[in-house]
Amino acid sequence: MEVVVDQNVPLGTEAFADAGQVVRLAGRDIRRSDLADCHALIVRSITKVDRTLLEGTPVRFVGTCTIGTDHLDIPWLESNGIRWASAPGCNARSVAEWAGAVVAGAHLERRLDLSAGPKAGVVGVGRVGRQVVEVFAGFGMDVLKNDPPRAQAEGPEGFVALEELLDSCQVVAGHLPLTRGGTHPTQGLFSKRNLSRLRHG
């Protein structure tokens, strides 16, 4: 079996060597002709995986080493019996540490005074957002959380409206899936109107 793996997937050869022959290609350059003998395709978000790429190939599995799946045409994959998987939460700790580094940098540059107990807001408190909450709280920040789907499922206690969060926080971090429809779409959530609610600076 041949497995085509985006060359930017760390340890891609080692991870899939037991599955068959591993072929490493640049994600943005993967074409249908590259998949003539491929049974499994492992990508990152740069590769659009849809009918144009896969029709007529032997690919039966697509894995994306990313949280998001915008680049996968999931309805087409499923209607053609192609299994797929994503990696939600795979970089949660790294994102939380990066958010902490940004806050620490702002403090060192005197743009944020952590000794004054500033408020931080986290919009989207799932796998990633929960860890960001922990990191911000570790700085002694009062952390407000906004997550309408969780508030709806678990009850409103512990969550605030987006407007309240934006009006009162010096730091705001968004950790959301991109959704274009449904009850709580996230596309365009951080609009000019919403961002204008943030404090100056």
Side-chain angles (χ1 to χ4, degrees):
M1 180 170 93
E2 183 176 286
V3 182
V4 171
V5 181
D6 184 315
Q7 67 186 16
N8 290 316
V9 172
L11 301 173
T13 300
E14 296 81 354
F16 299 100
D18 289 346
Q21 177 191 355
V22 175
V23 176
R24 304 295 298 264
L25 298 172
R28 67 180 70 250
D29 297 330
I30 296 174
R31 303 289 180 262
R32 185 187 301 182
S33 58
D34 298 318
L35 306 176
D37 299 314
C38 175
H39 294 87
L41 174 62
I42 310 300
V43 298
R44 294 181 53 82
S45 59
I46 199 74
T47 308
K48 178 72 175 163
V49 182
D50 56 10
R51 177 181 188 164
T52 302
L53 181 66
L54 296 184
E55 189 170 49
T57 71
V59 173
R60 303 303 340 135
F61 174 80
V62 174
T64 181
C65 299
T66 61
I67 294 168
T69 58
D70 310 13
H71 56 295
L72 305 182
D73 184 344
I74 293 171
W76 187 86
L77 294 174
E78 292 180 345
S79 69
N80 284 275
I82 300 172
R83 297 186 61 146
W84 64 274
S86 64
C90 65
N91 64 347
R93 194 69 213 160
S94 298
V95 170
E97 290 171 359
W98 178 83
V102 170
V103 167
H107 175 74
L108 292 172
E109 294 168 1
R110 302 186 190 284
R111 293 183 291 120
L112 179 69
D113 183 3
L114 288 173
S115 67
K119 286 187 178 178
V122 178
V123 182
V125 194
R127 290 179 178 97
V128 177
R130 289 175 206 234
Q131 294 199 39
V132 174
V133 168
E134 289 177 11
V135 169
F136 286 172
F139 282 114
M141 301 175 86
D142 180 19
V143 184
L144 302 183
K145 299 180 286 186
N146 171 266
D147 193 318
R150 280 193 59 200
Q152 191 172 14
E154 302 167 20
E157 188 175 338
F159 298 100
V160 300
L162 179 63
E163 294 77 14
E164 178 184 345
L165 184 148
L166 294 173
D167 288 345
S168 59
C169 292
Q170 288 83 13
V171 175
V172 176
H175 302 283
L176 308 156
L178 176 62
T179 58
R180 293 178 173 87
T183 311
H184 304 288
T186 61
Q187 184 177 33
L189 184 66
F190 289 101
S191 63
K192 183 176 181 179
R193 182 179 63 81
N194 278 340
L195 290 175
S196 69
R197 302 182 76 105
L198 294 170
R199 298 179 183 192
H200 179 71

